[in-house]
Amino acid sequence: MSLHSVSTLASAAIPARMQAAQMAHAIACSSVPAPSARRSVTLRQLASHELQWLPELCDLLIDSVHRGASLGFLAPLSRYAALEYWHGVFARLGPRHKLWVACADEDPQGRLLGTVQLSLCPLANAHHRGEVQHLMVHSQARGQGLASRLMARLESSALSQGRSLLVLETPSGSQAEAVYAHLGWLRAGEIPDYGACAEGRLQGAALYYKRLQQP
């Protein structure tokens, strides 16, 4: 299982190597305008041939990791590693793996603000189940309900494909736990020292699930 967080760690708790990564990325993103509280956003599902999104997807992943999100990477994250990851995601896109992005409507280039993935279990005895992966919202677009909108679109898609149960994991004690609880997810338990956070410390993983019902 590989489920992930949109949480941000306090900078005081981040070691020097991660602070350096944050400063470098902040400089690189200094041209990104501050988000509007009333930002108009479009959600769209990407297909495997839409590789023009790779640069912005890499920016989003690097932004998330350098701000403490636990996504299976350590900071500082190189652009090569980010690109390699996204190429792998696009190679899997199809009937059983889906990727959505949230884009700013007012931006002529449709700037990417967030993303989430859904992996449908292929096992014969688990065609009712799916897994949420890599929910990310850009640090300059948080607090605007984008995570809720992305998850609602994912859940609707899963339900339309006959999936009645979704699962995910997120770092225990993270802000993401509050997000998922607010969205109606239930905590099933916790695995201690499940993986390393972006700064390299071992941390537990909280396991969540949600039963989907037709509206």
Side-chain angles (χ1 to χ4, degrees):
M1 208 182 290
S2 57
L3 302 148
H4 309 90
S5 163
V6 292
S7 64
T8 303
L9 300 178
S11 59
I14 300 176
R17 69 181 181 126
M18 201 163 173
Q19 290 180 3
Q22 286 186 333
M23 291 178 62
H25 189 63
I27 293 173
C29 294
S30 59
S31 61
V32 179
S36 166
R38 296 175 181 249
R39 186 190 295 273
S40 177
V41 173
T42 294
L43 303 186
R44 59 176 294 172
Q45 182 179 337
L46 299 188
S48 59
H49 65 275
E50 296 185 275
L51 300 179
Q52 71 271 21
W53 290 93
L54 284 173
E56 287 196 76
L57 286 166
C58 288
D59 290 342
L60 177 61
L61 179 59
I62 292 171
D63 173 79
S64 298
V65 172
H66 287 186
R67 281 159 177 77
S70 179
L71 298 166
F73 300 95
L74 298 178
L77 176 64
S78 72
R79 195 161 189 86
Y80 176 83
L83 188 60
E84 183 178 41
Y85 166 75
W86 284 115
H87 270 297
V89 171
F90 274 82
R92 296 195 302 274
L93 292 182
R96 290 200 176 101
H97 198 91
K98 303 182 183 300
L99 168 67
W100 290 270
V101 295
C103 309
D105 291 338
E106 73 275 15
D107 191 317
Q109 298 179 344
R111 187 175 301 280
L112 190 149
L113 303 175
T115 183
V116 71
Q117 298 171 52
L118 171 65
S119 179
L120 301 178
C121 187
L123 299 177
N125 69 338
H127 284 176
H128 66 294
R129 192 174 79 222
E131 179 182 345
V132 179
Q133 298 179 356
H134 279 76
L135 173 63
M136 289 178 272
V137 173
H138 196 280
S139 60
Q140 295 189 15
R142 292 175 183 170
Q144 302 177 49
L146 291 181
S148 298
R149 291 185 59 182
L150 284 164
M151 290 294 285
R153 177 65 58 87
L154 179 150
E155 292 172 16
S156 176
S157 176
L159 192 58
S160 70
Q161 295 175 84
R163 307 291 161 145
S164 58
L165 177 68
L166 293 179
V167 297
L168 63 80
E169 87 181 42
T170 192
S172 55
S174 67
Q175 293 180 3
E177 284 209 69
V179 172
Y180 294 127
H182 174 72
L183 296 178
W185 288 71
L186 300 177
R187 201 177 199 267
E190 179 179 335
I191 304 174
D193 295 340
Y194 186 72
C197 64
E199 62 184 78
R201 292 181 292 101
L202 289 180
Q203 61 184 172
L207 308 180
Y208 278 79
Y209 70 95
K210 186 173 186 178
R211 295 187 183 278
L212 304 181
Q213 297 181 347
Q214 293 288 349

